[in-house]
Amino acid sequence: EVQLVQSGGGLVQPGGSLRLSCAASGFTFSSHAMNWVRQAPGKGLEWVSYIYNTGSTIFYADSVKGRFTISRDNAKNSLYLQMNSLRDEDTAVYYCARDLGGSYSQGWGQGALVTVSS
Amino acid sequence: QSALTQPASVSGSPGQSITISCAGTSSDVGGYNFVSWYQQHPGEAPKLMIYEVTKRPSAVSNRFSGSKSGNTASLTISGLQAEDEADYYCSSYTSGSTPLYVFGTGTKVTVL
């Protein structure tokens, strides 16, 4: 069974930094691309970032480009999202998700709430 | 790239069928057979219901089906049940690298 366990959310001031982690089990992590998707309170889903299984290809949404960095450690079966220069509008629940076929996500983490507020 | 357009809400009685639309453009929905649908209950993570327009994961009920015509995709739920009450989001691969995927605005399904 695919399991993605997230950690690292919390309260941070505007301009601050936070790192999210996503520990994978139940599948061959090194064979799959991964995504980060976020959901602002009461709002819809927004794709944030994608990383290929080897880490060789990475994409970001324009809203986070230059501020967020996605990475992975296949030896540790872990995915990361380093978030810098955080803004109020980055407040959201962040989900990691396993990418399949380059077209959809099956297997999602439980979500991590990031609150950016002074 | 704008979000795909879905109706804000759809409702139906138990046993009825409902259809949720997802309107995009030729750069996303119309250009690729890479439309997926997700169900989200309050406080939970999204769950994949349909992928590649019409395919259904093995654990998903066959009451859920997907289709596409031109730039608009649709999700149909037949034999509506109380547990189907949730938010539903469509998603599509896009022609640009940013965003790589675009989600729909979301539809609240209410079982009357």
Side-chain angles (χ1 to χ4, degrees):
Chain A
E1 179 193 359
V2 173
Q3 280 209 322
L4 297 169
V5 179
Q6 298 182 227
S7 59
L11 174 64
V12 61
Q13 291 188 338
S17 298
L18 209 57
R19 188 198 200 200
L20 302 181
S21 299
C22 172
S25 61
F27 66 102
T28 305
F29 180 72
S30 60
S31 296
H32 291 276
M34 298 292 294
N35 288 295
W36 286 101
V37 175
R38 69 183 180 183
Q39 186 171 35
K43 302 297 185 181
L45 301 171
E46 178 189 15
W47 171 80
V48 172
S49 185
Y50 164 100
I51 185 167
Y52 195 57
N53 66 320
T54 60
S56 59
T57 299
I58 287 172
F59 298 113
Y60 296 101
D62 283 343
S63 56
V64 306
K65 194 176 296 183
R67 301 186 299 121
F68 289 13
T69 302
I70 190 173
S71 63
R72 64 190 297 158
D73 186 337
N74 287 343
K76 295 183 177 180
N77 289 338
S78 292
L79 175 72
Y80 307 101
L81 186 67
Q82 177 67 43
M83 303 181 293
N84 298 331
S85 302
L86 283 161
R87 306 167 179 167
D88 291 348
E89 56 265 35
D90 295 319
T91 294
V93 174
Y94 285 73
Y95 295 101
C96 59
R98 183 180 68 161
D99 190 279
L100 287 177
S103 66
Y104 60 96
S105 290
Q106 185 176 34
W108 294 63
Q110 82 277 17
L113 176 62
V114 173
T115 303
V116 184
S117 175
S118 54
Chain B
Q1 187 107 22
S2 300
L4 307 175
T5 301
Q6 299 179 231
S9 63
V10 173
S11 61
S13 299
Q16 286 186 328
S17 292
I18 61 170
T19 297
I20 303 168
S21 61
C22 170
T25 70
S26 58
S27 295
D28 38 64
V29 174
Y32 309 92
N33 286 326
F34 290 149
V35 176
S36 51
W37 289 89
Y38 300 89
Q39 176 192 66
Q40 187 180 35
H41 288 107
E44 296 184 4
K47 174 188 174 184
L48 178 70
M49 305 302 285
I50 295 288
Y51 66 99
E52 293 176 0
V53 181
T54 61
K55 299 177 182 177
R56 190 176 54 246
S58 57
V60 172
S61 169
N62 59 10
R63 299 185 296 105
F64 292 83
S65 61
S67 63
K68 189 184 84 167
S69 178
N71 295 337
T72 299
S74 298
L75 174 72
T76 297
I77 309 174
S78 58
L80 200 61
Q81 298 181 0
E83 60 260 36
D84 300 332
E85 185 161 299
D87 293 326
Y88 291 83
Y89 294 91
C90 61
S91 179
S92 176
Y93 177 83
T94 74
S95 60
S97 60
T98 177
L100 185 62
Y101 301 115
V102 61
F103 283 97
T105 50
T107 298
K108 170 65 176 179
V109 168
T110 301
V111 181
L112 301 171

